[in-house]
mmCIF file of all heavy atoms in Angstrom:
data_model
loop_
_atom_site.group_PDB
_atom_site.id
_atom_site.type_symbol
_atom_site.label_atom_id
_atom_site.label_comp_id
_atom_site.label_asym_id
_atom_site.label_seq_id
_atom_site.Cartn_x
_atom_site.Cartn_y
_atom_site.Cartn_z
ATOM 1 N N ILE A 578 10.300 18.733 8.635
ATOM 2 C CA ILE A 578 11.136 19.649 9.418
ATOM 3 C C ILE A 578 11.051 21.063 8.837
ATOM 4 O O ILE A 578 10.956 22.055 9.573
ATOM 5 C CB ILE A 578 12.592 19.160 9.441
ATOM 6 C CG1 ILE A 578 12.675 17.779 10.101
ATOM 7 C CG2 ILE A 578 13.474 20.150 10.187
ATOM 8 C CD1 ILE A 578 12.214 17.741 11.529
ATOM 9 N N ALA A 579 11.094 21.153 7.515
ATOM 10 C CA ALA A 579 10.977 22.467 6.874
ATOM 11 C C ALA A 579 9.634 23.107 7.195
ATOM 12 O O ALA A 579 9.538 24.322 7.424
ATOM 13 C CB ALA A 579 11.153 22.329 5.364
ATOM 14 N N LEU A 580 8.575 22.294 7.234
ATOM 15 C CA LEU A 580 7.258 22.809 7.605
ATOM 16 C C LEU A 580 7.270 23.351 9.032
ATOM 17 O O LEU A 580 6.700 24.407 9.327
ATOM 18 C CB LEU A 580 6.217 21.701 7.471
ATOM 19 C CG LEU A 580 4.793 22.049 7.935
ATOM 20 C CD1 LEU A 580 4.206 23.172 7.094
ATOM 21 C CD2 LEU A 580 3.897 20.813 7.876
ATOM 22 N N ALA A 581 7.944 22.631 9.924
ATOM 23 C CA ALA A 581 8.019 23.073 11.318
ATOM 24 C C ALA A 581 8.751 24.406 11.438
ATOM 25 O O ALA A 581 8.333 25.303 12.175
ATOM 26 C CB ALA A 581 8.710 22.010 12.164
ATOM 27 N N VAL A 582 9.858 24.545 10.705
ATOM 28 C CA VAL A 582 10.604 25.803 10.731
ATOM 29 C C VAL A 582 9.736 26.941 10.173
ATOM 30 O O VAL A 582 9.700 28.054 10.716
ATOM 31 C CB VAL A 582 11.912 25.668 9.934
ATOM 32 C CG1 VAL A 582 12.616 27.015 9.813
ATOM 33 C CG2 VAL A 582 12.834 24.652 10.602
ATOM 34 N N GLY A 583 9.020 26.644 9.098
ATOM 35 C CA GLY A 583 8.136 27.654 8.520
ATOM 36 C C GLY A 583 7.041 28.080 9.483
ATOM 37 O O GLY A 583 6.707 29.266 9.581
ATOM 38 N N LEU A 584 6.503 27.120 10.220
ATOM 39 C CA LEU A 584 5.477 27.450 11.210
ATOM 40 C C LEU A 584 6.055 28.297 12.340
ATOM 41 O O LEU A 584 5.392 29.205 12.854
ATOM 42 C CB LEU A 584 4.859 26.169 11.767
ATOM 43 C CG LEU A 584 3.999 25.342 10.796
ATOM 44 C CD1 LEU A 584 3.563 24.042 11.451
ATOM 45 C CD2 LEU A 584 2.785 26.146 10.343
ATOM 46 N N ALA A 585 7.284 27.983 12.741
ATOM 47 C CA ALA A 585 7.922 28.761 13.801
ATOM 48 C C ALA A 585 8.114 30.210 13.364
ATOM 49 O O ALA A 585 7.841 31.154 14.120
ATOM 50 C CB ALA A 585 9.265 28.132 14.170
ATOM 51 N N VAL A 586 8.599 30.398 12.148
ATOM 52 C CA VAL A 586 8.788 31.757 11.623
ATOM 53 C C VAL A 586 7.440 32.469 11.502
ATOM 54 O O VAL A 586 7.306 33.653 11.860
ATOM 55 C CB VAL A 586 9.508 31.700 10.265
ATOM 56 C CG1 VAL A 586 9.560 33.088 9.633
ATOM 57 C CG2 VAL A 586 10.920 31.147 10.439
ATOM 58 N N THR A 587 6.436 31.741 11.001
ATOM 59 C CA THR A 587 5.105 32.330 10.864
ATOM 60 C C THR A 587 4.546 32.744 12.220
ATOM 61 O O THR A 587 3.965 33.827 12.370
ATOM 62 C CB THR A 587 4.150 31.330 10.197
ATOM 63 O OG1 THR A 587 4.679 30.954 8.925
ATOM 64 C CG2 THR A 587 2.772 31.935 10.006
ATOM 65 N N GLY A 588 4.716 31.848 13.211
ATOM 66 C CA GLY A 588 4.248 32.179 14.547
ATOM 67 C C GLY A 588 4.932 33.408 15.107
ATOM 68 O O GLY A 588 4.291 34.272 15.735
ATOM 69 N N GLY A 589 6.233 33.518 14.867
ATOM 70 C CA GLY A 589 6.961 34.697 15.317
ATOM 71 C C GLY A 589 6.486 35.958 14.631
ATOM 72 O O GLY A 589 6.342 37.020 15.262
ATOM 73 N N LEU A 590 6.237 35.851 13.333
ATOM 74 C CA LEU A 590 5.762 37.022 12.586
ATOM 75 C C LEU A 590 4.376 37.456 13.055
ATOM 76 O O LEU A 590 4.093 38.658 13.177
ATOM 77 C CB LEU A 590 5.741 36.702 11.091
ATOM 78 C CG LEU A 590 7.105 36.576 10.401
ATOM 79 C CD1 LEU A 590 6.922 36.123 8.959
ATOM 80 C CD2 LEU A 590 7.849 37.909 10.461
ATOM 81 N N ILE A 591 3.499 36.469 13.307
ATOM 82 C CA ILE A 591 2.149 36.821 13.766
ATOM 83 C C ILE A 591 2.215 37.496 15.135
ATOM 84 O O ILE A 591 1.575 38.533 15.377
ATOM 85 C CB ILE A 591 1.269 35.565 13.823
ATOM 86 C CG1 ILE A 591 0.989 35.063 12.401
ATOM 87 C CG2 ILE A 591 -0.052 35.854 14.537
ATOM 88 C CD1 ILE A 591 0.234 33.768 12.343
ATOM 89 N N ALA A 592 3.004 36.901 16.043
ATOM 90 C CA ALA A 592 3.140 37.505 17.368
ATOM 91 C C ALA A 592 3.775 38.886 17.269
ATOM 92 O O ALA A 592 3.363 39.831 17.953
ATOM 93 C CB ALA A 592 3.976 36.592 18.266
ATOM 94 N N GLY A 593 4.775 39.007 16.400
ATOM 95 C CA GLY A 593 5.422 40.294 16.221
ATOM 96 C C GLY A 593 4.492 41.325 15.617
ATOM 97 O O GLY A 593 4.569 42.519 15.945
ATOM 98 N N ALA A 594 3.610 40.886 14.744
ATOM 99 C CA ALA A 594 2.662 41.815 14.138
ATOM 100 C C ALA A 594 1.704 42.378 15.176
ATOM 101 O O ALA A 594 1.411 43.586 15.196
ATOM 102 C CB ALA A 594 1.877 41.106 13.031
ATOM 103 N N PHE A 595 1.220 41.499 16.066
ATOM 104 C CA PHE A 595 0.365 41.983 17.152
ATOM 105 C C PHE A 595 1.112 42.991 18.023
ATOM 106 O O PHE A 595 0.626 44.092 18.303
ATOM 107 C CB PHE A 595 -0.092 40.800 18.023
ATOM 108 C CG PHE A 595 -1.300 40.083 17.510
ATOM 109 C CD1 PHE A 595 -1.171 38.967 16.712
ATOM 110 C CD2 PHE A 595 -2.570 40.534 17.839
ATOM 111 C CE1 PHE A 595 -2.278 38.300 16.232
ATOM 112 C CE2 PHE A 595 -3.697 39.861 17.373
ATOM 113 C CZ PHE A 595 -3.554 38.747 16.558
ATOM 114 N N GLY A 596 2.315 42.573 18.463
ATOM 115 C CA GLY A 596 3.079 43.438 19.360
ATOM 116 C C GLY A 596 3.548 44.713 18.692
ATOM 117 O O GLY A 596 3.520 45.804 19.291
ATOM 118 N N GLY A 597 3.975 44.610 17.431
ATOM 119 C CA GLY A 597 4.432 45.791 16.712
ATOM 120 C C GLY A 597 3.321 46.789 16.488
ATOM 121 O O GLY A 597 3.527 48.011 16.577
ATOM 122 N N TRP A 598 2.120 46.272 16.208
ATOM 123 C CA TRP A 598 0.973 47.170 16.033
ATOM 124 C C TRP A 598 0.692 47.936 17.322
ATOM 125 O O TRP A 598 0.447 49.133 17.308
ATOM 126 C CB TRP A 598 -0.254 46.354 15.631
ATOM 127 C CG TRP A 598 -1.516 47.161 15.592
ATOM 128 C CD1 TRP A 598 -1.930 47.997 14.607
ATOM 129 C CD2 TRP A 598 -2.533 47.225 16.616
ATOM 130 N NE1 TRP A 598 -3.132 48.580 14.926
ATOM 131 C CE2 TRP A 598 -3.527 48.122 16.151
ATOM 132 C CE3 TRP A 598 -2.677 46.615 17.856
ATOM 133 C CZ2 TRP A 598 -4.664 48.403 16.906
ATOM 134 C CZ3 TRP A 598 -3.805 46.890 18.601
ATOM 135 C CH2 TRP A 598 -4.786 47.784 18.133
ATOM 136 N N ARG A 599 0.784 47.215 18.449
ATOM 137 C CA ARG A 599 0.527 47.890 19.730
ATOM 138 C C ARG A 599 1.641 48.883 20.042
ATOM 139 O O ARG A 599 1.378 50.004 20.519
ATOM 140 C CB ARG A 599 0.450 46.834 20.848
ATOM 141 C CG ARG A 599 0.139 47.426 22.224
ATOM 142 C CD ARG A 599 -1.280 47.939 22.261
ATOM 143 N NE ARG A 599 -1.615 48.552 23.521
ATOM 144 C CZ ARG A 599 -1.444 49.842 23.814
ATOM 145 N NH1 ARG A 599 -0.925 50.657 22.895
ATOM 146 N NH2 ARG A 599 -1.798 50.350 24.969
ATOM 147 N N ALA A 600 2.892 48.526 19.760
ATOM 148 C CA ALA A 600 4.011 49.410 20.063
ATOM 149 C C ALA A 600 3.974 50.663 19.211
ATOM 150 O O ALA A 600 4.352 51.764 19.660
ATOM 151 C CB ALA A 600 5.332 48.667 19.854
ATOM 152 N N SER A 601 3.529 50.532 17.964
ATOM 153 C CA SER A 601 3.515 51.689 17.066
ATOM 154 C C SER A 601 2.494 52.741 17.502
ATOM 155 O O SER A 601 2.580 53.894 17.081
ATOM 156 C CB SER A 601 3.209 51.237 15.634
ATOM 157 O OG SER A 601 1.889 50.708 15.552
ATOM 158 N N ARG A 602 1.558 52.356 18.350
ATOM 159 C CA ARG A 602 0.526 53.284 18.788
ATOM 160 C C ARG A 602 0.896 54.017 20.082
ATOM 161 O O ARG A 602 0.145 54.872 20.544
ATOM 162 C CB ARG A 602 -0.791 52.523 18.998
ATOM 163 C CG ARG A 602 -1.349 51.935 17.698
ATOM 164 C CD ARG A 602 -2.549 51.052 17.979
ATOM 165 N NE ARG A 602 -3.645 51.810 18.600
ATOM 166 C CZ ARG A 602 -4.571 52.480 17.920
ATOM 167 N NH1 ARG A 602 -4.517 52.522 16.589
ATOM 168 N NH2 ARG A 602 -5.527 53.128 18.544
ATOM 169 N N LEU A 603 2.031 53.648 20.673
ATOM 170 C CA LEU A 603 2.447 54.303 21.916
ATOM 171 C C LEU A 603 3.027 55.689 21.627
ATOM 172 O O LEU A 603 3.680 55.903 20.602
ATOM 173 C CB LEU A 603 3.487 53.436 22.641
ATOM 174 C CG LEU A 603 2.995 52.066 23.137
ATOM 175 C CD1 LEU A 603 4.151 51.299 23.757
ATOM 176 C CD2 LEU A 603 1.858 52.220 24.140
ATOM 177 N N ARG A 604 2.796 56.606 22.575
ATOM 178 C CA ARG A 604 3.320 57.970 22.442
ATOM 179 C C ARG A 604 4.205 58.290 23.652
ATOM 180 O O ARG A 604 3.995 57.748 24.740
ATOM 181 C CB ARG A 604 2.167 58.976 22.377
ATOM 182 C CG ARG A 604 1.266 58.808 21.166
ATOM 183 C CD ARG A 604 0.097 59.764 21.247
ATOM 184 N NE ARG A 604 -0.720 59.478 22.441
ATOM 185 C CZ ARG A 604 -1.727 60.263 22.825
ATOM 186 N NH1 ARG A 604 -1.997 61.375 22.142
ATOM 187 N NH2 ARG A 604 -2.423 59.953 23.908
ATOM 188 N N PRO A 605 5.175 59.155 23.488
ATOM 189 C CA PRO A 605 6.027 59.508 24.629
ATOM 190 C C PRO A 605 5.216 60.035 25.807
ATOM 191 O O PRO A 605 5.595 59.834 26.971
ATOM 192 C CB PRO A 605 6.940 60.595 24.055
ATOM 193 C CG PRO A 605 6.990 60.306 22.591
ATOM 194 C CD PRO A 605 5.633 59.786 22.245
ATOM 195 N N ALA A 606 4.102 60.717 25.553
ATOM 196 C CA ALA A 606 3.300 61.250 26.655
ATOM 197 C C ALA A 606 2.766 60.146 27.550
ATOM 198 O O ALA A 606 2.561 60.334 28.751
ATOM 199 C CB ALA A 606 2.147 62.073 26.097
ATOM 200 N N ASP A 607 2.530 58.934 26.957
ATOM 201 C CA ASP A 607 2.039 57.820 27.766
ATOM 202 C C ASP A 607 3.045 57.440 28.841
ATOM 203 O O ASP A 607 2.676 57.050 29.947
ATOM 204 C CB ASP A 607 1.745 56.602 26.876
ATOM 205 C CG ASP A 607 0.616 56.879 25.902
ATOM 206 O OD1 ASP A 607 -0.284 57.659 26.255
ATOM 207 O OD2 ASP A 607 0.647 56.308 24.788
ATOM 208 N N ALA A 608 4.303 57.534 28.510
ATOM 209 C CA ALA A 608 5.346 57.206 29.488
ATOM 210 C C ALA A 608 5.376 58.230 30.604
ATOM 211 O O ALA A 608 5.553 57.898 31.771
ATOM 212 C CB ALA A 608 6.709 57.120 28.796
#
Side-chain angles (χ1 to χ4, degrees):
I578 299 299
L580 175 63
V582 173
L584 292 175
V586 173
T587 302
L590 289 174
I591 291 175
F595 275 94
W598 173 79
R599 182 69 182 89
S601 65
R602 295 173 61 87
L603 296 177
R604 297 175 298 173
D607 295 328

